[in-house]
Amino acid sequence: MIQKQRGPGGNRGHAHAGRLGARQVYGKISRNGVRLPDDWRNRLPDPTSYYRKRVAKLGKAQVNDWAQGQCPFHEDRNASLSVNLSHGGWTCFAGCDSGDLVSFHMRLAGLSFKEAVRELLGLRS
Ligand SMILES: [Zn+2]
C-alpha cells in the first residue's frame, strides 16, 4: 500500500535564518585598485626624463620644446618621432599616431589607460 502524503504537512521549525551580522563589513577598499588618484595628471613623470629613457637618439629640444628621436612604434631610421618635453605630447611623422605621454606609455608597454597611468605614477605592484 502506497501512501501519498501531500498537502500541508509542514511543520517547519527553522528559526535561525538571517543572521549575517556585523561580520562582512570590512574589506571594501576598492579591491582591484582601479581608481586613480584625483591628481594623477600632476603626478606624471617629467616628460624630459621619461622620453630620454625610452626614445632612441632623442635630440635637444627645439622650437617650443619639441625634440626629435626614433619612433619605437615602427622601424625608424629617420627620427620620425617628435616629442614635446614640456607637456609630453608626441607625434610620429611616419604615421604611427600621436597623443600624450599616457597614450605613449600605453602603446609602448601594452597597457590599458588606467594601468598605464598607475605605472607612470609608480603605483603598480
Ligand atoms: Zn612611428
Side-chain angles (χ1 to χ4, degrees):
M1 218 178 163
I2 301 175
Q3 289 192 351
K4 286 189 177 178
Q5 280 203 0
R6 33 168 73 178
N11 176 12
R12 311 181 169 177
H14 293 291
H16 46 268
R19 254 189 129 225
L20 311 168
R23 270 174 161 264
Q24 325 202 340
V25 173
Y26 49 92
K28 61 184 175 191
I29 305 164
S30 82
R31 297 188 52 78
N32 31 19
V34 177
R35 282 200 59 195
L36 296 176
D38 293 336
D39 62 341
W40 65 267
R41 259 185 198 284
N42 300 327
R43 293 164 55 181
L44 292 176
D46 173 51
T48 302
S49 53
Y50 176 84
Y51 284 125
R52 288 261 172 245
K53 282 183 218 155
R54 289 167 179 85
V55 176
K57 307 240 173 105
L58 186 62
K60 292 222 176 238
Q62 296 171 25
V63 182
N64 293 331
D65 281 332
W66 287 94
Q68 317 296 133
Q70 285 187 330
C71 176
F73 305 131
H74 77 279
E75 193 79 31
D76 189 8
R77 303 203 171 111
N78 304 313
S80 309
L81 182 75
S82 197
V83 298
N84 191 289
L85 302 180
S86 300
H87 59 63
W90 63 279
T91 297
C92 171
F93 295 111
C96 286
D97 208 345
S98 62
D100 60 8
L101 194 140
V102 175
S103 73
F104 188 93
H105 194 65
M106 287 169 65
R107 188 158 175 164
L108 193 69
L111 298 173
S112 72
F113 175 80
K114 282 182 180 172
E115 287 170 338
V117 171
R118 287 178 58 78
E119 187 165 286
L120 288 168
L121 299 192
L123 296 176
R124 262 188 136 213
S125 40

